[in-house]
Amino acid sequence: MLITETPIEVRYQETDQMGVVYHANYLVWFEIGRTKFVEALGLNYHQGMEKHNVVSPVIDAQISYKNAVRYGEKPVVKTWLETYDGLRTVYRYEILNGAGDLAVTGTTTHTIVDKDTFRPLSIRRKFPDWHAAYQDQLKKED
């Protein structure tokens, strides 16, 4: 199973007065990790979906905070595919702080929809290459 590791540079504006990363920024880092994961599979959101007027909104996000990440650290976002059923995709994340300690864990759940109508679509039918790549990842998990 593919697990991507995406380094992040903590920007000053991402921190609070204590020099700790503001909690909402971890969701942005999840998105960065997810994009790198998709690219590592040889896929591309813009070329693969958006040019077909399809977007992939987050329909659920879960996040747990374990340790702080501070300004000046070099955290890493680990990303992998947790589940996929042809309609919904769940990505799992771990963020390690500069010391390598587990700082944040979480998941985001996505579906795909028509950009204009927000009508749900089947990944399996609309993007068989994405479906095959995700199915392949789940087989590698076993």
mmCIF file of all heavy atoms in Angstrom, residues 117-142:
data_model
loop_
_atom_site.group_PDB
_atom_site.id
_atom_site.type_symbol
_atom_site.label_atom_id
_atom_site.label_comp_id
_atom_site.label_asym_id
_atom_site.label_seq_id
_atom_site.Cartn_x
_atom_site.Cartn_y
_atom_site.Cartn_z
ATOM 1 N N THR A 117 -24.186 21.234 -10.836
ATOM 2 C CA THR A 117 -25.412 20.787 -10.175
ATOM 3 C C THR A 117 -25.188 20.179 -8.796
ATOM 4 O O THR A 117 -26.123 19.996 -8.042
ATOM 5 C CB THR A 117 -26.117 19.725 -11.031
ATOM 6 O OG1 THR A 117 -25.292 18.555 -11.095
ATOM 7 C CG2 THR A 117 -26.420 20.255 -12.429
ATOM 8 N N PHE A 118 -23.945 19.849 -8.487
ATOM 9 C CA PHE A 118 -23.570 19.126 -7.273
ATOM 10 C C PHE A 118 -24.252 17.762 -7.187
ATOM 11 O O PHE A 118 -24.390 17.188 -6.129
ATOM 12 C CB PHE A 118 -23.794 19.968 -6.020
ATOM 13 C CG PHE A 118 -22.518 20.563 -5.509
ATOM 14 C CD1 PHE A 118 -21.830 21.508 -6.258
ATOM 15 C CD2 PHE A 118 -21.984 20.165 -4.301
ATOM 16 C CE1 PHE A 118 -20.641 22.057 -5.806
ATOM 17 C CE2 PHE A 118 -20.793 20.707 -3.844
ATOM 18 C CZ PHE A 118 -20.113 21.660 -4.595
ATOM 19 N N ARG A 119 -24.660 17.254 -8.328
ATOM 20 C CA ARG A 119 -25.242 15.917 -8.402
ATOM 21 C C ARG A 119 -24.128 14.887 -8.203
ATOM 22 O O ARG A 119 -23.109 14.925 -8.879
ATOM 23 C CB ARG A 119 -25.903 15.710 -9.769
ATOM 24 C CG ARG A 119 -26.551 14.378 -9.944
ATOM 25 C CD ARG A 119 -27.232 14.284 -11.328
ATOM 26 N NE ARG A 119 -27.552 12.909 -11.602
ATOM 27 C CZ ARG A 119 -26.774 12.075 -12.282
ATOM 28 N NH1 ARG A 119 -25.633 12.494 -12.777
ATOM 29 N NH2 ARG A 119 -27.124 10.828 -12.472
ATOM 30 N N PRO A 120 -24.293 13.949 -7.267
ATOM 31 C CA PRO A 120 -23.267 12.928 -7.037
ATOM 32 C C PRO A 120 -23.044 12.054 -8.271
ATOM 33 O O PRO A 120 -23.972 11.766 -9.025
ATOM 34 C CB PRO A 120 -23.830 12.089 -5.891
ATOM 35 C CG PRO A 120 -24.867 12.947 -5.262
ATOM 36 C CD PRO A 120 -25.420 13.816 -6.349
ATOM 37 N N LEU A 121 -21.795 11.637 -8.438
ATOM 38 C CA LEU A 121 -21.407 10.785 -9.555
ATOM 39 C C LEU A 121 -20.666 9.559 -9.019
ATOM 40 O O LEU A 121 -20.107 9.598 -7.927
ATOM 41 C CB LEU A 121 -20.496 11.556 -10.514
ATOM 42 C CG LEU A 121 -21.059 12.841 -11.115
ATOM 43 C CD1 LEU A 121 -19.945 13.640 -11.782
ATOM 44 C CD2 LEU A 121 -22.169 12.520 -12.096
ATOM 45 N N SER A 122 -20.609 8.532 -9.812
ATOM 46 C CA SER A 122 -19.876 7.324 -9.466
ATOM 47 C C SER A 122 -18.458 7.418 -10.021
ATOM 48 O O SER A 122 -18.272 7.577 -11.230
ATOM 49 C CB SER A 122 -20.578 6.103 -10.060
ATOM 50 O OG SER A 122 -19.726 4.973 -10.040
ATOM 51 N N ILE A 123 -17.467 7.308 -9.147
ATOM 52 C CA ILE A 123 -16.079 7.295 -9.613
ATOM 53 C C ILE A 123 -15.872 6.085 -10.523
ATOM 54 O O ILE A 123 -15.226 6.188 -11.556
ATOM 55 C CB ILE A 123 -15.101 7.241 -8.418
ATOM 56 C CG1 ILE A 123 -15.234 8.491 -7.567
ATOM 57 C CG2 ILE A 123 -13.662 7.063 -8.910
ATOM 58 C CD1 ILE A 123 -14.465 8.442 -6.263
ATOM 59 N N ARG A 124 -16.417 4.972 -10.115
ATOM 60 C CA ARG A 124 -16.269 3.723 -10.878
ATOM 61 C C ARG A 124 -16.688 3.909 -12.330
ATOM 62 O O ARG A 124 -16.011 3.453 -13.246
ATOM 63 C CB ARG A 124 -17.091 2.625 -10.195
ATOM 64 C CG ARG A 124 -17.021 1.289 -10.839
ATOM 65 C CD ARG A 124 -17.890 0.257 -10.109
ATOM 66 N NE ARG A 124 -18.748 0.868 -9.101
ATOM 67 C CZ ARG A 124 -18.896 0.410 -7.864
ATOM 68 N NH1 ARG A 124 -18.273 -0.652 -7.471
ATOM 69 N NH2 ARG A 124 -19.692 1.020 -7.024
ATOM 70 N N ARG A 125 -17.789 4.604 -12.557
ATOM 71 C CA ARG A 125 -18.302 4.793 -13.924
ATOM 72 C C ARG A 125 -17.652 5.981 -14.644
ATOM 73 O O ARG A 125 -17.320 5.901 -15.813
ATOM 74 C CB ARG A 125 -19.804 4.999 -13.892
ATOM 75 C CG ARG A 125 -20.563 3.742 -13.549
ATOM 76 C CD ARG A 125 -22.073 3.921 -13.779
ATOM 77 N NE ARG A 125 -22.785 2.931 -13.009
ATOM 78 C CZ ARG A 125 -23.620 3.196 -12.020
ATOM 79 N NH1 ARG A 125 -23.876 4.444 -11.693
ATOM 80 N NH2 ARG A 125 -24.211 2.232 -11.371
ATOM 81 N N LYS A 126 -17.502 7.092 -13.933
ATOM 82 C CA LYS A 126 -17.039 8.331 -14.563
ATOM 83 C C LYS A 126 -15.522 8.332 -14.800
ATOM 84 O O LYS A 126 -15.054 8.850 -15.813
ATOM 85 C CB LYS A 126 -17.436 9.530 -13.685
ATOM 86 C CG LYS A 126 -17.128 10.872 -14.276
ATOM 87 C CD LYS A 126 -18.134 11.293 -15.290
ATOM 88 C CE LYS A 126 -17.843 12.698 -15.793
ATOM 89 N NZ LYS A 126 -18.622 13.066 -16.942
ATOM 90 N N PHE A 127 -14.765 7.734 -13.875
ATOM 91 C CA PHE A 127 -13.306 7.738 -13.956
ATOM 92 C C PHE A 127 -12.748 6.345 -13.663
ATOM 93 O O PHE A 127 -12.208 6.093 -12.575
ATOM 94 C CB PHE A 127 -12.711 8.771 -12.992
ATOM 95 C CG PHE A 127 -13.166 10.172 -13.257
ATOM 96 C CD1 PHE A 127 -14.093 10.792 -12.426
ATOM 97 C CD2 PHE A 127 -12.702 10.865 -14.366
ATOM 98 C CE1 PHE A 127 -14.530 12.073 -12.677
ATOM 99 C CE2 PHE A 127 -13.137 12.159 -14.630
ATOM 100 C CZ PHE A 127 -14.059 12.769 -13.787
ATOM 101 N N PRO A 128 -12.875 5.432 -14.611
ATOM 102 C CA PRO A 128 -12.434 4.052 -14.365
ATOM 103 C C PRO A 128 -10.940 3.940 -14.034
ATOM 104 O O PRO A 128 -10.544 3.021 -13.308
ATOM 105 C CB PRO A 128 -12.772 3.316 -15.658
ATOM 106 C CG PRO A 128 -13.159 4.345 -16.647
ATOM 107 C CD PRO A 128 -13.487 5.602 -15.920
ATOM 108 N N ASP A 129 -10.118 4.890 -14.498
ATOM 109 C CA ASP A 129 -8.694 4.846 -14.165
ATOM 110 C C ASP A 129 -8.472 5.133 -12.678
ATOM 111 O O ASP A 129 -7.664 4.470 -12.016
ATOM 112 C CB ASP A 129 -7.889 5.808 -15.038
ATOM 113 C CG ASP A 129 -8.411 7.240 -15.030
ATOM 114 O OD1 ASP A 129 -9.622 7.453 -14.763
ATOM 115 O OD2 ASP A 129 -7.609 8.166 -15.307
ATOM 116 N N TRP A 130 -9.219 6.085 -12.118
ATOM 117 C CA TRP A 130 -9.141 6.362 -10.676
ATOM 118 C C TRP A 130 -9.644 5.146 -9.904
ATOM 119 O O TRP A 130 -9.037 4.739 -8.916
ATOM 120 C CB TRP A 130 -9.972 7.589 -10.300
ATOM 121 C CG TRP A 130 -9.408 8.895 -10.760
ATOM 122 C CD1 TRP A 130 -9.225 9.309 -12.049
ATOM 123 C CD2 TRP A 130 -8.945 9.957 -9.936
ATOM 124 N NE1 TRP A 130 -8.696 10.566 -12.073
ATOM 125 C CE2 TRP A 130 -8.507 10.998 -10.790
ATOM 126 C CE3 TRP A 130 -8.881 10.139 -8.563
ATOM 127 C CZ2 TRP A 130 -8.003 12.198 -10.314
ATOM 128 C CZ3 TRP A 130 -8.385 11.347 -8.083
ATOM 129 C CH2 TRP A 130 -7.944 12.351 -8.953
ATOM 130 N N HIS A 131 -10.760 4.585 -10.343
ATOM 131 C CA HIS A 131 -11.333 3.410 -9.678
ATOM 132 C C HIS A 131 -10.309 2.286 -9.624
ATOM 133 O O HIS A 131 -10.089 1.681 -8.569
ATOM 134 C CB HIS A 131 -12.603 2.970 -10.421
ATOM 135 C CG HIS A 131 -13.201 1.717 -9.895
ATOM 136 N ND1 HIS A 131 -13.872 1.655 -8.691
ATOM 137 C CD2 HIS A 131 -13.213 0.454 -10.402
ATOM 138 C CE1 HIS A 131 -14.283 0.421 -8.483
ATOM 139 N NE2 HIS A 131 -13.893 -0.329 -9.505
ATOM 140 N N ALA A 132 -9.664 2.007 -10.745
ATOM 141 C CA ALA A 132 -8.681 0.921 -10.815
ATOM 142 C C ALA A 132 -7.492 1.208 -9.885
ATOM 143 O O ALA A 132 -7.016 0.301 -9.184
ATOM 144 C CB ALA A 132 -8.211 0.728 -12.250
ATOM 145 N N ALA A 133 -7.019 2.444 -9.865
ATOM 146 C CA ALA A 133 -5.879 2.797 -9.011
ATOM 147 C C ALA A 133 -6.234 2.637 -7.533
ATOM 148 O O ALA A 133 -5.433 2.113 -6.751
ATOM 149 C CB ALA A 133 -5.431 4.233 -9.293
ATOM 150 N N TYR A 134 -7.437 3.042 -7.145
ATOM 151 C CA TYR A 134 -7.855 2.915 -5.751
ATOM 152 C C TYR A 134 -8.070 1.449 -5.388
ATOM 153 O O TYR A 134 -7.691 1.003 -4.304
ATOM 154 C CB TYR A 134 -9.120 3.730 -5.488
ATOM 155 C CG TYR A 134 -8.906 5.219 -5.424
ATOM 156 C CD1 TYR A 134 -9.965 6.077 -5.212
ATOM 157 C CD2 TYR A 134 -7.644 5.800 -5.567
ATOM 158 C CE1 TYR A 134 -9.794 7.451 -5.144
ATOM 159 C CE2 TYR A 134 -7.455 7.166 -5.494
ATOM 160 C CZ TYR A 134 -8.534 7.984 -5.282
ATOM 161 O OH TYR A 134 -8.352 9.341 -5.208
ATOM 162 N N GLN A 135 -8.691 0.698 -6.280
ATOM 163 C CA GLN A 135 -8.886 -0.738 -6.034
ATOM 164 C C GLN A 135 -7.529 -1.423 -5.854
ATOM 165 O O GLN A 135 -7.370 -2.292 -4.996
ATOM 166 C CB GLN A 135 -9.660 -1.388 -7.192
ATOM 167 C CG GLN A 135 -11.110 -0.974 -7.247
ATOM 168 C CD GLN A 135 -11.931 -1.627 -6.164
ATOM 169 O OE1 GLN A 135 -11.805 -1.319 -4.981
ATOM 170 N NE2 GLN A 135 -12.781 -2.543 -6.565
ATOM 171 N N ASP A 136 -6.566 -1.055 -6.682
ATOM 172 C CA ASP A 136 -5.226 -1.629 -6.585
ATOM 173 C C ASP A 136 -4.609 -1.334 -5.229
ATOM 174 O O ASP A 136 -3.971 -2.197 -4.628
ATOM 175 C CB ASP A 136 -4.348 -1.075 -7.719
ATOM 176 C CG ASP A 136 -2.991 -1.733 -7.760
ATOM 177 O OD1 ASP A 136 -2.926 -2.988 -7.761
ATOM 178 O OD2 ASP A 136 -1.985 -1.001 -7.795
ATOM 179 N N GLN A 137 -4.799 -0.127 -4.713
ATOM 180 C CA GLN A 137 -4.257 0.222 -3.395
ATOM 181 C C GLN A 137 -4.875 -0.623 -2.297
ATOM 182 O O GLN A 137 -4.204 -1.052 -1.376
ATOM 183 C CB GLN A 137 -4.462 1.710 -3.110
ATOM 184 C CG GLN A 137 -3.537 2.603 -3.875
ATOM 185 C CD GLN A 137 -2.091 2.245 -3.651
ATOM 186 O OE1 GLN A 137 -1.597 2.225 -2.525
ATOM 187 N NE2 GLN A 137 -1.384 1.925 -4.724
ATOM 188 N N LEU A 138 -6.184 -0.857 -2.403
ATOM 189 C CA LEU A 138 -6.857 -1.659 -1.377
ATOM 190 C C LEU A 138 -6.393 -3.112 -1.426
ATOM 191 O O LEU A 138 -6.275 -3.761 -0.388
ATOM 192 C CB LEU A 138 -8.372 -1.556 -1.540
ATOM 193 C CG LEU A 138 -8.947 -0.159 -1.253
ATOM 194 C CD1 LEU A 138 -10.433 -0.142 -1.544
ATOM 195 C CD2 LEU A 138 -8.650 0.284 0.166
ATOM 196 N N LYS A 139 -6.101 -3.624 -2.604
ATOM 197 C CA LYS A 139 -5.582 -4.998 -2.723
ATOM 198 C C LYS A 139 -4.210 -5.109 -2.095
ATOM 199 O O LYS A 139 -3.892 -6.136 -1.506
ATOM 200 C CB LYS A 139 -5.504 -5.398 -4.207
ATOM 201 C CG LYS A 139 -6.838 -5.654 -4.830
ATOM 202 C CD LYS A 139 -6.683 -5.992 -6.308
ATOM 203 C CE LYS A 139 -8.044 -5.999 -6.968
ATOM 204 N NZ LYS A 139 -7.918 -6.040 -8.437
ATOM 205 N N LYS A 140 -3.404 -4.079 -2.215
ATOM 206 C CA LYS A 140 -2.056 -4.081 -1.642
ATOM 207 C C LYS A 140 -2.091 -4.055 -0.132
ATOM 208 O O LYS A 140 -1.123 -4.381 0.526
ATOM 209 C CB LYS A 140 -1.252 -2.906 -2.169
ATOM 210 C CG LYS A 140 -0.882 -3.045 -3.626
ATOM 211 C CD LYS A 140 -0.105 -1.853 -4.111
ATOM 212 C CE LYS A 140 0.222 -2.034 -5.593
ATOM 213 N NZ LYS A 140 0.958 -0.889 -6.124
ATOM 214 N N GLU A 141 -3.223 -3.615 0.439
ATOM 215 C CA GLU A 141 -3.381 -3.544 1.880
ATOM 216 C C GLU A 141 -3.524 -4.928 2.494
ATOM 217 O O GLU A 141 -3.124 -5.169 3.613
ATOM 218 C CB GLU A 141 -4.613 -2.680 2.198
ATOM 219 C CG GLU A 141 -4.775 -2.361 3.668
ATOM 220 C CD GLU A 141 -5.957 -1.444 3.879
ATOM 221 O OE1 GLU A 141 -5.840 -0.255 3.576
ATOM 222 O OE2 GLU A 141 -6.997 -1.945 4.349
ATOM 223 N N ASP A 142 -4.142 -5.841 1.746
ATOM 224 C CA ASP A 142 -4.409 -7.196 2.261
ATOM 225 C C ASP A 142 -3.160 -8.011 2.444
ATOM 226 O O ASP A 142 -2.147 -7.863 1.949
ATOM 227 C CB ASP A 142 -5.363 -7.938 1.315
ATOM 228 C CG ASP A 142 -6.714 -7.232 1.225
ATOM 229 O OD1 ASP A 142 -7.044 -6.494 2.159
ATOM 230 O OD2 ASP A 142 -7.406 -7.423 0.215
#
